[in-house]
Amino acid sequence: MTPELPVLIVGGGPAGLTASLLLSRHGVESLLIDKRVGPSPLPRARGVHSRAMEILRVCGVEPDLRAVELPITPGAQFQADLTAEPFREDVTSTAKTVVSPCDGLSVSQDVFEAVLRDHARAYSPAQLRTGVLLESFRIDDGGVLATVVDQNGGGTTDVRARWMIAADGARSGVRRRLGIEMHGPDDLGRQTMIAFRADLSSWTGARPRGIYFLTDTGAALIWTHTDDRWVISRPGTTTEDDPAAAVRQVLGLPDLDVEILAASPWTAAAQSASQYAQGPVFLTGDAAHRFPPAGATGVSAAMHDVHNLAWKIAYSNDSTKLLDSYADEREPVGRQNADETGAAWSRLFSGTGSPFSGRSLGQLDMGYQYRSAIIADDGSPEADPPGSDYRQNAAPGCRAPHLWLNDGTSTIDLFDRHFVLLTAPQGDSWRAAAGRCVGVPVDSHVVSEPEWPELYGVESDGAVLVRPDGHVAWRSRTGSTDPAADFRTALSTCTGI
């Protein structure tokens, strides 16, 4: 008999693991299969932005990640090689952010995935299987019928799932089998990445800079692990070089004791898929978009994808309107991210300035505004465009703003499994209306902090409805003569139910 389950997740990177974690928190069973049997010797990404950390904060993962965080000195340093004096420093402010309860995180992706995997496995609705490969699948009226192969000698199994999440990376087999094209440049320059171990503390100190640009060779140097592991990425894909000799040459340290861990060519790309969903199959993470590493956007965007998707699967009850909104909302964000990171990568290697300012990074991380059939537009102006200062905005479709509450928590901590109705103390008629709605769980929260109405763009008798993914679904700036009818209409619009 073919096993049946709600969700099959293909891929065990940040997108797949976060999908498993979030679905479990919504009580949705899932099976995650990962063809890998162990971590990659290459650390890959090393940056996670504040918005993704907000997701992990709500899930209870943040403390374990902070415990393994790299103690870097934020910012970039430009010098001819590691022995030369820096001629330029792009210093990132270490002041606590005023728009989020979370700072970004610096941790190698293998360490990041290990922490996520432990948390995902702790939930009973989740199954995680490594060394298991998706061999084939077909879509039918019941969802997806997939054939998976256990590379550990467990044979071949058919699995039926109502939905499938493709989190299988930039070379996504799922995307190719669906015939979905990628749009955007696929070759923004070829590089060789070399992972190595060496004691560089005499030149970097105990808290190395976030990234070193070594201009004599055009290479970038990044610290990845506290046990003296580093990565160099340099232009070109010459494979006949001795990697240890290449490391010494790039660093300007001819006598350095170097242990090579891995070396691999790679090509920068700035692409987004032509469609993020086809029937019951959803593309997420690198399967949906590829960004160059400037700005460290890839991991965070992957987590934003599944944060948008997981609650919709949990609430859908096969609502086409709700599930269609995933592609409607995430595709424009993916295209914007590809455009912005591609342009930043070009600026970096053309020497025309810093790849990002804090302003545009904030926009990429938090400043986008969803537009779809499940967003109750209230006629607010467009959110600030990319490149402008990021200002918190509670217009429908935007991330609900962070505000510290009197109990020491943030408004961000309220947005988890359910829709949340926010009102000031004067909004009792809205709270009563929410209490009479059935079928969709709504948590009501009274915000007594005096700055809340202005921050959220309402009067003292107004109300804001926030989705489980922390984006504003609906807003009434003032009270209503028929709050029960208005709220019922809003909830129906925002859930498709």
Side-chain angles (χ1 to χ4, degrees), residues 26 51 304 307-309 311-312 315 322 325-326 329-330 368 370-376 396-398 400 412 414-421 464-474 493-495:
H26 285 291
R51 179 63 184 135
H304 299 177
H307 197 211
N308 181 289
L309 178 60
W311 76 268
K312 294 174 180 178
Y315 277 71
L322 194 59
S325 71
Y326 168 70
E329 293 179 354
R330 289 305 298 171
Y368 51 85
Y370 291 145
R371 301 283 186 180
S372 74
I374 65 165
I375 298 292
C398 292
I412 301 297
L414 302 172
F415 315 134
D416 185 4
R417 298 174 175 88
H418 299 159
F419 278 78
V420 176
L421 179 70
V464 177
L465 183 66
V466 182
R467 310 184 325 187
D469 65 353
H471 280 255
V472 175
W474 164 88
T493 298
C494 300
T495 61

Side-chain angles (χ1 to χ4, degrees), residues 197-473:
R197 181 180 279 112
D199 181 3
L200 302 181
S201 58
S202 295
W203 299 273
T204 66
R207 295 176 63 93
R209 182 71 74 182
I211 187 169
Y212 297 85
F213 291 108
L214 307 178
T215 56
D216 274 359
T217 54
L221 172 69
I222 300 172
W223 185 41
T224 63
H225 298 79
T226 55
D227 59 352
D228 291 330
R229 278 185 276 173
W230 297 78
V231 158
I232 279 174
S233 191
R234 61 175 187 146
T237 55
T238 304
T239 56
E240 63 267 25
D241 288 350
D242 173 6
V247 169
R248 295 185 184 104
Q249 186 231 343
V250 166
L251 299 180
L253 298 168
D255 300 320
L256 182 69
D257 184 13
V258 178
E259 177 190 356
I260 298 299
L261 304 175
S264 176
W266 64 279
T267 303
Q271 296 184 301
S272 188
S274 59
Q275 59 187 96
Y276 282 20
Q278 190 174 116
V281 181
F282 304 94
L283 305 184
T284 64
D286 286 355
H289 39 68
R290 296 176 61 195
F291 310 135
T297 303
V299 168
S300 298
M303 295 173 65
H304 299 177
D305 289 340
V306 296
H307 197 211
N308 181 289
L309 178 60
W311 76 268
K312 294 174 180 178
I313 289 175
Y315 277 71
S316 72
N317 196 25
D318 285 341
S319 164
T320 301
K321 179 181 178 183
L322 194 59
L323 292 170
D324 285 350
S325 71
Y326 168 70
D328 293 340
E329 293 179 354
R330 289 305 298 171
E331 285 176 11
V333 178
R335 290 192 295 269
Q336 176 180 303
N337 285 348
D339 291 344
E340 289 289 303
T341 56
W345 186 255
S346 298
R347 286 194 294 272
L348 176 62
F349 286 98
S350 66
T352 57
S354 299
F356 282 104
S357 66
R359 298 182 302 171
S360 54
L361 270 177
Q363 281 292 339
L364 283 173
D365 190 30
M366 300 182 185
Y368 51 85
Q369 182 175 15
Y370 291 145
R371 301 283 186 180
S372 74
I374 65 165
I375 298 292
D377 187 2
D378 69 351
S380 301
E382 293 284 339
D384 297 329
S388 62
D389 285 314
Y390 171 61
R391 294 176 296 179
Q392 298 198 99
N393 186 346
C398 292
R399 161 193 171 271
H402 153 67
L403 173 67
W404 288 117
L405 304 176
N406 291 330
D407 62 2
T409 64
S410 165
T411 48
I412 301 297
D413 298 321
L414 302 172
F415 315 134
D416 185 4
R417 298 174 175 88
H418 299 159
F419 278 78
V420 176
L421 179 70
L422 299 178
T423 63
Q426 297 90 329
D428 54 332
S429 63
W430 290 118
R431 298 192 295 274
R436 289 194 290 271
C437 283
V438 296
V440 178
V442 178
D443 296 335
S444 292
H445 188 89
V446 178
V447 187
S448 58
E449 286 69 19
E451 59 268 50
W452 178 77
E454 181 178 359
L455 179 62
Y456 272 70
V458 296
E459 302 296 329
S460 60
D461 57 351
V464 177
L465 183 66
V466 182
R467 310 184 325 187
D469 65 353
H471 280 255
V472 175

Side-chain angles (χ1 to χ4, degrees), residues 75-97:
Q77 192 162 297
F78 295 75
Q79 55 202 92
D81 60 32
L82 199 59
T83 69
E85 287 295 317
F87 61 83
R88 174 176 147 200
E89 294 179 337
D90 290 347
V91 180
T92 303
S93 171
T94 57
K96 290 289 184 182
T97 176

Side-chain angles (χ1 to χ4, degrees), residues 144-178:
V144 175
L145 181 62
T147 300
V148 303
V149 179
D150 188 335
Q151 301 176 93
N152 302 308
T156 300
T157 305
D158 288 336
V159 176
R160 176 170 289 282
R162 181 65 191 87
W163 298 283
M164 184 164 76
I165 297 176
D168 54 339
R171 297 181 179 87
S172 171
V174 173
R175 187 187 66 231
R176 290 198 305 269
R177 289 168 189 166
L178 293 174

Side-chain angles (χ1 to χ4, degrees), residues 31-223:
L31 167 64
L32 183 152
I33 60 172
D34 188 351
K35 66 182 181 182
R36 301 174 300 170
V37 295
S40 168
L42 292 170
R44 295 173 291 168
R46 198 204 56 182
V48 183
H49 293 317
S50 294
R51 179 63 184 135
M53 291 306 297
E54 290 176 356
I55 299 169
L56 297 175
R57 172 188 173 97
V58 173
C59 294
V61 183
E62 186 185 14
D64 288 341
L65 285 170
R66 295 296 178 194
V68 294
E69 183 175 14
L70 286 170
I72 68 168
T73 299
Q77 192 162 297
F78 295 75
Q79 55 202 92
D81 60 32
L82 199 59
T83 69
E85 287 295 317
F87 61 83
R88 174 176 147 200
E89 294 179 337
D90 290 347
V91 180
T92 303
S93 171
T94 57
K96 290 289 184 182
T97 176
V98 297
V99 298
S100 176
C102 301
D103 290 327
L105 178 82
S106 292
V107 66
S108 180
Q109 188 171 323
D110 56 331
V111 177
F112 181 73
E113 289 180 5
V115 173
L116 270 185
R117 192 177 300 112
D118 286 345
H119 278 264
R121 281 179 170 152
Y123 287 87
S124 57
Q127 300 178 57
L128 280 72
R129 296 177 59 192
T130 58
V132 177
L133 176 71
L134 177 69
E135 182 179 75
S136 63
F137 69 91
R138 64 179 175 86
I139 298 172
D140 58 26
D141 291 341
V144 175
L145 181 62
T147 300
V148 303
V149 179
D150 188 335
Q151 301 176 93
N152 302 308
T156 300
T157 305
D158 288 336
V159 176
R160 176 170 289 282
R162 181 65 191 87
W163 298 283
M164 184 164 76
I165 297 176
D168 54 339
R171 297 181 179 87
S172 171
V174 173
R175 187 187 66 231
R176 290 198 305 269
R177 289 168 189 166
L178 293 174
I180 297 175
E181 297 180 348
M182 298 292 283
H183 292 165
D186 63 355
D187 188 349
L188 292 175
R190 301 184 182 186
Q191 302 259 327
T192 298
M193 179 181 289
I194 305 173
F196 65 97
R197 181 180 279 112
D199 181 3
L200 302 181
S201 58
S202 295
W203 299 273
T204 66
R207 295 176 63 93
R209 182 71 74 182
I211 187 169
Y212 297 85
F213 291 108
L214 307 178
T215 56
D216 274 359
T217 54
L221 172 69
I222 300 172
W223 185 41

